[in-house]
Amino acid sequence: MADFETPDHYEILQVSPRADQDTLQRVFRHLAKRYHPDNPDSGDAKRFKQLVESFQVLSDPAQRAQFDVHYA
């Protein structure tokens, strides 16, 4: 067992586990604009990195299925 806790990618992206691909992309783009490090008002590099990682996992059907099995 790993010593670190697996992040909840659905919570990071603020979507339901039943969210479809279009919803994932739309929410990711919205949050990425908000937290991008170049945004002087609300930029957050750590949060942006989490968003990108979560989107990569959930947008790939194989990785998403593996995450769902592990997380359930």
Side-chain angles (χ1 to χ4, degrees), residues 2-72:
D3 290 334
F4 60 92
E5 190 174 317
T6 302
D8 183 348
H9 296 300
Y10 294 112
E11 185 176 318
I12 291 171
L13 284 174
Q14 303 172 13
V15 295
S16 164
R18 296 185 310 255
D20 63 7
Q21 211 48 35
D22 290 336
T23 302
L24 284 173
Q25 186 168 7
R26 190 172 50 244
V27 170
F28 169 73
R29 290 178 63 117
H30 174 75
L31 293 174
K33 283 181 186 178
R34 178 183 297 166
Y35 293 110
H36 193 281
D38 289 345
N39 184 336
D41 298 326
S42 60
D44 183 348
K46 181 180 177 187
R47 178 89 165 118
F48 182 75
K49 185 177 177 184
Q50 290 174 333
L51 288 169
V52 170
E53 179 183 321
S54 294
F55 180 70
Q56 287 174 341
V57 170
L58 297 180
S59 64
D60 178 23
Q63 286 186 13
R64 184 175 182 173
Q66 185 178 22
F67 172 75
D68 288 343
V69 167
H70 175 72
Y71 198 73

